[in-house]
Amino acid sequence: MNKLSYQRGVGLIEVLVAVLLLSIAVLGFSALQVRAISATDESVVRTKSLTIIRNLAEVMRAYPEAYVKNGTAPPFESILSTEFSDLTAAERAAVVSTIQAVVSSSATDSVVISYVKTNSDDTKTTISKTVSVDATGENCLSTTTKTVGGKIVPKQTCTINELAARDALMIKKQAADQGITINIETCPGSAANAIQQQMCVITAWNGTKAILDDTDAAACAGANGTYKAGSQCLISEAY
């Protein structure tokens, strides 16, 4: 006589194995989603950084003669009244572009630009003006006017350094609003010449510092411009 056996239902072991396989698949899919989201976020930040770098490079080209004596009192003193060739080697070393000085400084909303004005009697007067992002107050970017010879003209006019400072502040604020830090340094290997030198625009995010430093583990790159492992930043050359 043939004996027939029938299996009814599913055993506990089969259920546990099925749940285990499903869990592994779900975990793998979740990890893939996390990586995809992280890659998307990284791509968005890089796109924003490239836009900021491109805008800043255009601003640097727009003000090729905007230079200040950095590290003096007041912080941003124009050299427009002095020929660069007349400066000593030490003075030349302290001269940087206004864009670089503003971007690399701690200034966020406003800076004071000073310059020496030569009067009609050959005496000199130091003029200081506050340049801000929103052009508030009585600075050169204010919208107030005055009447001269029957014509309405701006009450105050901007020097090239003041215009450069304002544009630099605007780009710096745009970067900060996106969680991006920005800095400008002399590119590794560039000639030590403060005029028309090769500059590197550095943007960094997620804890990476926008600097070129061999000793700082959080720096974007080393002093030779080589990216550090794990750094989240971009370096672009500008002139």
Side-chain angles (χ1 to χ4, degrees):
M1 178 182 293
N2 296 328
K3 293 183 179 181
L4 300 177
S5 62
Y6 298 93
Q7 180 176 350
R8 298 177 182 277
V10 180
L12 179 59
I13 295 178
E14 287 84 351
V15 172
L16 292 177
V17 171
V19 171
L20 176 61
L21 293 175
L22 180 62
S23 300
I24 294 175
V26 171
L27 288 175
F29 179 75
S30 300
L32 181 62
Q33 285 292 97
V34 171
R35 291 293 300 273
I37 293 173
S38 176
T40 300
D41 292 342
E42 180 78 5
S43 177
V44 171
V45 175
R46 284 182 176 273
T47 300
K48 292 178 180 178
S49 294
L50 286 172
T51 301
I52 292 171
I53 290 174
R54 183 167 57 248
N55 291 342
L56 187 57
E58 291 299 324
V59 170
M60 292 171 67
R61 295 188 184 97
Y63 305 105
E65 297 178 354
Y67 285 86
V68 294
K69 297 178 182 177
N70 197 25
T72 60
F76 303 101
E77 183 180 350
S78 172
I79 65 166
L80 293 180
S81 58
T82 305
E83 291 293 336
F84 184 76
S85 57
D86 295 334
L87 300 178
T88 65
E91 290 173 332
R92 291 188 185 189
V95 173
V96 297
S97 72
T98 305
I99 305 294
Q100 179 185 3
V102 173
V103 169
S104 302
S105 71
S106 59
T108 55
D109 297 323
S110 64
V111 295
V112 177
I113 298 291
S114 299
Y115 63 95
V116 177
K117 176 184 178 182
T118 302
N119 303 314
S120 57
D121 57 355
D122 290 334
T123 59
K124 297 183 182 296
T125 304
T126 300
I127 306 296
S128 297
K129 292 184 180 180
T130 299
V131 179
S132 61
V133 173
D134 54 6
T136 57
E138 285 298 320
N139 58 48
C140 78
L141 291 162
S142 63
T143 57
T144 56
T145 60
K146 63 181 179 180
T147 302
V148 178
K151 297 181 179 180
I152 298 177
V153 297
K155 189 173 182 179
Q156 300 184 62
T157 57
C158 292
T159 66
I160 189 171
N161 279 281
E162 291 166 339
L163 289 172
R166 197 248 179 168
D167 286 355
L169 285 171
M170 290 181 63
I171 293 178
K172 189 174 183 179
K173 185 177 186 303
Q174 291 171 3
D177 291 342
Q178 301 295 333
I180 299 171
T181 57
I182 189 169
N183 188 24
I184 302 176
E185 293 195 13
T186 303
C187 290
S190 178
N193 180 6
I195 300 297
Q196 298 298 326
Q197 61 185 344
Q198 186 178 5
M199 307 304 296
C200 280
V201 180
I202 310 169
T203 53
W205 56 93
N206 288 346
T208 300
K209 297 180 182 179
I211 57 175
L212 306 179
D213 194 317
D214 290 329
T215 60
D216 195 330
C220 172
N224 62 354
T226 303
Y227 285 99
K228 293 192 175 183
S231 63
Q232 294 181 294
C233 57
L234 285 176
I235 304 175
S236 180
E237 295 180 1
Y239 300 88

